[in-house]
Amino acid sequence: MANCPKINNTTIHGTSAVTYDSTPLPCTDVNTCDGLNTILAKFDAIICDVKSNVDVLTEEIIDITENVMLITEDIINIQNQLEICCPNCDFTGTADELLVCDFTGTADQLPSPTTTTTTTTVVPTTTTTSSSTSTSTSTSTSTSTSTSSTTTTTTTEFIGCANYGMTALDETPINFDYTPCGGSATSVTLTNETLIVCCQSAPTTNDTGIHSDITFEGPCSEPTTTTTTSAPTVCYSYSLYGTSPGIATWNNCDGSPDSQYINASETFVVPCAQEGSITWSGGITQLSAC
């Protein structure tokens, strides 16, 4: 034991002379009969361990504080960006509340529009247009007649067609299946050649690709079909009888107009006239078709 100075000529008793004589202290691991030096050593170990843990906790608290500051800055930046994007939005609600935005501002305040691209497959559309014309003629001394014709136009368009090239690369016969634009499914066998067809979708083949190739060749013209129909022209020969003198008129079967003066009690035969085209005040008898 180190020599300690005397105080007032009194000898100081060393710590090694003191012994703990009470019950054990489990938290500090002090036992009965431990000397004071042993007890102080155990207390010092505990204090050093606590100090070390406090230092570690202090570093962790500092790190957490710095992270909170960074997160706060990120939140401020996000809010600033939202204010630029949506200046009329209310961001003061709680987290579980929906965002309330007012898009009634001017055009330069509204959010930028989004663009959506849609690809449409083959879609046939049919348009039918009908027109009719009629002509009616009547006089106080003649019989009323009329002619009519009807024309119907049907147009079919196919959207989404494209040109595809089907190539047999060598002498091996290759079977290709495809659906022409506006047509029905079909197949073709090629040998060392290329066929380009306007198709509704890409052709297919059971070949592994070693002997064949299918390529996209760009858009193709969309086919349209137009059908025009008209009422058929019916022609007959007629016998005209004059109850009084007058002029009979009619349209020949080729559509050209014609006329004839007929005396009273006279009979005139029209060789071939369009049905319903005769204007005559006397008797009219339909004969045979011409």
Side-chain angles (χ1 to χ4, degrees):
M1 181 181 71
N3 294 325
C4 297
K6 296 181 179 180
I7 299 177
N8 296 328
N9 294 322
T10 302
T11 299
I12 298 176
H13 295 284
T15 55
S16 58
V18 179
T19 302
Y20 179 71
D21 60 359
S22 185
T23 58
L25 304 177
C27 290
T28 57
D29 196 27
V30 174
N31 299 312
T32 304
C33 297
D34 281 349
L36 182 57
N37 288 338
T38 301
I39 294 172
L40 292 176
K42 291 181 178 181
F43 283 176
D44 182 68
I46 293 174
I47 292 172
C48 288
D49 184 61
V50 171
K51 181 178 181 300
S52 177
N53 290 336
V54 169
D55 291 341
V56 172
L57 291 175
T58 301
E59 289 293 331
E60 291 179 351
I61 291 173
I62 293 174
D63 292 340
I64 292 174
T65 302
E66 291 178 351
N67 290 334
V68 170
M69 294 176 64
L70 293 176
I71 293 173
T72 302
E73 292 179 357
D74 290 340
I75 293 174
I76 293 174
N77 290 334
I78 292 173
Q79 290 177 337
N80 291 337
Q81 293 297 324
L82 290 175
E83 286 294 336
I84 296 174
C85 173
C86 308
N88 296 318
C89 294
D90 181 10
F91 300 104
T92 59
T94 59
D96 58 351
E97 292 179 342
L98 293 176
L99 184 65
V100 178
C101 295
D102 177 15
F103 294 111
T104 59
T106 61
D108 58 349
Q109 293 176 324
L110 296 177
S112 300
T114 58
T115 301
T116 302
T117 301
T118 303
T119 301
T120 306
T121 57
V122 179
V123 179
T125 60
T126 302
T127 303
T128 302
T129 304
S130 298
S131 62
S132 62
T133 59
S134 62
T135 304
S136 177
T137 305
S138 64
T139 64
S140 59
T141 61
S142 64
T143 302
S144 176
T145 62
S146 64
T147 60
S148 64
S149 63
T150 302
T151 300
T152 302
T153 301
T154 302
T155 302
T156 303
E157 296 182 355
F158 295 87
I159 302 172
C161 299
N163 281 322
Y164 290 92
M166 297 173 288
T167 303
L169 300 175
D170 49 38
E171 298 298 329
T172 303
I174 303 299
N175 183 71
F176 296 91
D177 297 317
Y178 65 97
T179 302
C181 192
S184 56
T186 186
S187 61
V188 64
T189 300
L190 302 178
T191 303
N192 198 21
E193 59 183 319
T194 298
L195 175 64
I196 298 177
V197 180
C198 182
C199 303
Q200 294 182 12
S201 59
T204 58
T205 178
N206 56 4
D207 182 66
T208 60
I210 299 176
H211 305 288
S212 68
D213 189 22
I214 296 175
T215 56
F216 174 76
E217 301 294 338
C220 58
S221 301
E222 299 174 354
T224 59
T225 58
T226 301
T227 303
T228 302
T229 59
S230 60
T233 301
V234 180
C235 301
Y236 295 94
S237 61
Y238 294 89
S239 175
L240 307 183
Y241 177 75
T243 56
S244 61
I247 297 176
T249 62
W250 65 89
N251 291 330
N252 293 317
C253 201
D254 61 3
S256 61
D258 207 342
S259 63
Q260 175 67 36
Y261 179 84
I262 302 175
N263 293 314
S265 301
E266 181 183 357
T267 298
F268 177 80
V269 176
V270 179
C272 194
Q274 293 182 1
E275 182 182 24
S277 67
I278 297 178
T279 301
W280 174 236
S281 58
I284 302 176
T285 302
Q286 178 177 302
L287 302 177
S288 59
C290 58

